[in-house]
Amino acid sequence: YVQMREERNNALLAEQRALAVKDYMVAVFQGADPEVAGQRDLKVSEVLDASRLRLAAMLNEQPTLRTELTGILAGVYHNLGKREQAVGMFEEAIAEERRLGRPLMLASLLHRKANTLYDAEEFARAEPVALEALALRERHQPDSTELVDTLRLLG
């Protein structure tokens, strides 16, 4: 009986997360709608900037989901070459993740921030971040490809 209740609770949580992501994505795409935005052909970075503002407001009650989506948006900023924005978002997500206490997610965010700093040729700032990711991965993900990725980044 306890296992069934736990499985039901997990399913309800998954459903709530899925609905929150759907609502967030609908809001992002509505913000890119020319009728709503008042202009045609918004740049991707403009849509991201608007969605970044919505993220905190819409998912204030779901910090784990907000942190995960912040990390995803930070990666998109990185890929667009907007490294300062990416680093800032990674820092937001890392700070929240420290409070949430999920070491694997924290290691991932730290690794991705270090990679962004590396790409910006800020090696002195990247190294301590990558070393922290490495320590977490050595403790919680030994023998993993993620550990190898962080070692490669440090190399």
Side-chain angles (χ1 to χ4, degrees):
Y1 177 75
V2 172
Q3 183 179 0
M4 286 176 47
R5 186 168 43 190
E6 189 173 311
E7 288 175 8
R8 179 188 57 102
N9 289 343
N10 289 339
L12 289 172
L13 284 173
E15 182 182 8
Q16 288 173 345
R17 287 175 56 89
L19 288 172
V21 169
K22 178 194 70 89
D23 291 345
Y24 173 71
M25 294 305 297
V26 166
V28 168
F29 285 109
Q30 282 178 338
D33 184 335
E35 296 294 320
V36 175
Q39 59 181 325
R40 290 193 162 297
D41 298 327
L42 287 175
K43 293 180 182 177
V44 171
S45 60
E46 292 171 345
V47 173
L48 284 177
D49 291 343
S51 67
R52 181 179 182 179
L53 296 173
R54 286 186 182 92
L55 187 60
M58 290 185 70
L59 297 174
N60 194 39
E61 300 298 317
Q62 297 188 40
T64 57
L65 184 55
R66 185 181 67 240
T67 302
E68 291 169 23
L69 289 174
T70 298
I72 291 168
L73 284 177
V76 174
Y77 274 111
H78 172 110
N79 292 338
L80 290 173
K82 296 186 171 283
R83 291 186 178 86
E84 282 186 44
Q85 290 94 329
V87 168
M89 290 194 77
F90 280 128
E91 288 172 352
E92 288 174 30
I94 288 166
E96 182 67 28
E97 200 55 53
R98 288 186 195 287
R99 287 188 286 277
L100 294 171
R102 298 183 306 172
L104 297 180
M105 179 57 77
L106 179 58
S108 174
L109 291 166
L110 288 164
H111 175 94
R112 293 168 59 208
K113 177 186 174 187
N115 187 54
T116 299
L117 290 167
Y118 175 84
D119 284 353
E121 298 183 0
E122 295 188 42
F123 307 117
R125 285 180 62 201
E127 184 178 18
V129 177
L131 286 170
E132 185 180 357
L134 179 64
L136 286 167
R137 287 183 166 169
E138 285 177 332
R139 192 172 325 123
H140 299 282
Q141 289 180 304
D143 304 325
S144 68
T145 58
E146 290 84 3
L147 177 65
V148 173
D149 289 342
T150 301
L151 285 168
R152 187 178 313 123
L153 177 61
L154 279 163

